[in-house]
Amino acid sequence: MTLLAVAFFALMALGVPIAFAIGIAGFTFFATGEFIPMSIGVQQVASASQSFPLLAVPFFVLAGHMMNRTGITHRLIACSNVLVSWMAGGLAQVCIVLSTLMGGVSGSAVADAAMEARILGPGLIRAGYSRGFTCSVIAVGSLITATIPPSLGLILYGFVGNVSIGRLFLAGVIPGLLMMTGLMLTTWFIARRRGYRAGSVERPTAKAVWAAVVDAKWALLFPVALLVAIRGGLFTPSEVGAFAVVYAALVGFFLHRELTLGSVLEALTEAVTDTGLIMLIILFSGMVGYAIVFEQAPQSIAAALADLTREPVLVVALILIFLFLAGLFVESTVLVLLLTPIFLPIVAPLGVDPVHFGILMMTIVTLGSMTPPVGVAMYTVCSLLDCPVEEYIVESLPFVGTVLALVALLTLWPGLVLFLPNALM
């Protein structure tokens, strides 16, 4: 197990792609083991693909790419602008609300951050917002996508941990809305102190709000339709992914009439690329998962934690601290696939709900995409808006602090996470 870990981090340091770093490190475990034939490793790679719930991943990836070509994005921007642009720091508030609404469409924090950086970022900078503040609002705000359904991270967590994806989707709604509120308050305080003006002078009328909501209704109804379909037993989470693709096609072709065959082919091409990358990581992580179970890593870590404390809240807090530190260096998808089999068997016997733990885990590991030294969303936004990383780091501290405070709140009051799944399922 030690050799596997050393090989993985050495390959990462050499710049080997994550999927191959996991695969090569996993093969070292089987190649150097005396009692485990190499064929077992190959079987683990194959068996990792034999999962019906895993079908949800390519479907939701394709649906997200198609949604971005149906005219939904600019309708959501217009809706967000009407709702919150009158507040202090109005344009920045639009970014946060848009991340919440886009979370129900894209399912990817990095994709959401890149889109907002291209479309809204230049406008914020022209309006007098600093580059660091602009990048921080966009990058950290995209974290809301990690919990608002359909989150790809929650699908992977449910797949690896054998946790109900429907309950995870429902559980992510309230934390996502709380995160939106917290980040909006943080933006408001900073904007008031710096004198960042509102985007519009007057508050919107009820008529203007209703018109904007009606114009964006098909995007706003999408996550609601997913949750109703799962709760009503109409579809399994995998089948809901297929429904999402059909929904995107119907909206694009017949309702908005902005989707073309050419844009569908572009969406398919991008979806195949993204799915291929995700699936490579999933398949190769099957070997690592087997090694973790074979070496009894969960039991060893659980025993070490038990020596420190037996209080469930403290155990979860220690795990979240470790996940936060790990997220600074390793991509969130990898952490979910590799660490869920380790930590879920530790917290479940302590009475911690796997759904509650999944929301906490996804929030913390996805936060790593917005923090140095290897934050993908951070580098994407900073490069698109020509912002020094040093400036971003300083400006992002209040937003990261807000997210960590929310995670602490959700840890102490699991009812905030479990209210909807317990009430509806």
Side-chain angles (χ1 to χ4, degrees):
M1 193 67 187
T2 302
L3 178 61
L4 187 154
V6 171
F8 172 71
F9 287 109
L11 291 168
M12 288 281 291
L14 293 173
V16 176
I18 292 177
F20 295 107
I22 294 173
I24 296 171
F27 271 116
T28 61
F29 175 81
F30 293 94
T32 58
E34 297 180 5
F35 307 106
I36 309 176
M38 181 68 76
S39 60
I40 297 294
V42 178
Q43 290 172 12
Q44 293 305 310
V45 173
S47 62
S49 66
Q50 306 303 305
S51 171
F52 185 69
L54 202 58
L55 285 173
V57 174
F59 280 132
F60 276 118
V61 170
L62 176 58
H65 285 296
M66 290 181 64
M67 284 286 188
N68 288 332
R69 289 168 168 78
T70 59
I72 277 178
T73 299
H74 71 256
R75 286 174 170 81
L76 290 179
I77 292 174
C79 182
S80 304
N81 193 60
V82 170
L83 291 174
V84 297
S85 64
W86 54 272
M87 299 179 181
L91 294 178
Q93 305 284 14
V94 170
C95 293
I96 295 172
V97 173
L98 181 61
S99 290
T100 308
L101 300 179
M102 285 299 295
V105 176
S106 69
S108 169
V110 176
D112 173 57
M115 179 275 295
E116 290 193 24
R118 292 189 185 97
I119 298 176
L120 300 178
L124 269 76
I125 293 172
R126 284 195 300 269
Y129 295 77
S130 72
R131 291 183 184 272
F133 177 80
T134 299
C135 291
S136 299
V137 168
I138 292 174
V140 182
S142 69
L143 178 62
I144 301 172
T145 308
T147 60
I148 295 290
S151 165
L152 293 179
L154 291 179
I155 294 173
L156 294 178
Y157 173 83
F159 157 69
V160 176
N162 195 25
V163 181
S164 168
I165 296 175
R167 286 179 61 85
L168 286 168
F169 279 1
L170 286 168
V173 174
I174 291 178
L177 295 177
L178 289 175
M179 194 181 304
M180 178 193 75
T181 304
L183 293 176
M184 287 181 70
L185 286 172
T186 303
T187 300
W188 184 83
F189 280 116
I190 296 174
R192 286 290 297 270
R193 191 181 67 193
R194 297 184 183 181
Y196 291 150
R197 294 178 297 176
S200 59
V201 178
E202 299 179 355
R203 296 190 180 189
T205 62
K207 183 178 180 180
V209 171
W210 176 250
V213 170
V214 168
D215 190 42
K217 60 183 177 297
W218 300 116
L220 300 177
L221 286 172
F222 178 60
V224 177
L226 294 183
L227 295 177
V228 170
I230 293 176
R231 172 62 186 88
L234 299 176
F235 304 111
T236 66
S238 302
E239 293 165 345
V240 165
F243 163 73
V245 175
V246 175
Y247 184 94
L250 291 175
V251 170
F253 282 122
F254 302 109
L255 300 175
H256 290 172
R257 297 183 180 180
E258 296 186 24
L259 191 65
T260 64
L261 291 178
S263 58
V264 170
L265 289 176
E266 291 177 1
L268 282 168
T269 302
E270 294 175 358
V272 168
T273 303
D274 291 348
T275 303
L277 175 61
I278 295 172
M279 289 304 298
L280 268 179
I281 295 174
I282 292 173
L283 296 181
F284 287 141
S285 65
M287 292 186 295
V288 179
Y290 181 90
I292 289 170
V293 173
F294 184 84
E295 293 290 333
Q296 297 186 325
Q299 293 87 335
S300 301
I301 296 175
L305 289 173
D307 291 338
L308 296 175
T309 178
R310 295 182 183 274
E311 179 62 38
V313 174
L314 292 179
V315 172
V316 172
L318 290 173
I319 291 174
L320 292 178
I321 292 171
F322 173 83
L323 290 173
F324 175 72
L325 296 175
L328 299 178
F329 302 96
V330 183
E331 202 267 330
S332 60
T333 302
V334 178
L335 291 179
V336 171
L337 292 171
L338 297 186
L339 298 184
T340 298
I342 294 179
F343 291 128
L344 194 54
I346 294 174
V347 299
L350 298 176
V352 178
D353 193 294
V355 173
H356 177 218
F357 181 72
I359 298 298
L360 297 176
M361 181 177 184
M362 272 312 307
T363 303
I364 282 293
V365 299
T366 308
L367 182 60
S369 296
M370 294 88 198
T371 52
V374 294
V376 179
M378 174 187 72
Y379 286 121
T380 300
V381 173
C382 287
S383 62
L384 288 172
L385 296 178
D386 194 25
C387 173
V389 174
E390 297 81 7
E391 181 181 346
Y392 167 88
I393 293 172
V394 173
E395 294 275 20
S396 68
L397 290 177
F399 298 99
V400 173
T402 300
V403 173
L404 294 178
L406 175 63
V407 170
L409 177 68
L410 297 177
T411 303
L412 295 173
W413 283 281
L416 292 172
V417 178
L418 298 175
F419 173 76
L420 279 182
N422 287 345
L424 299 178
M425 297 187 72

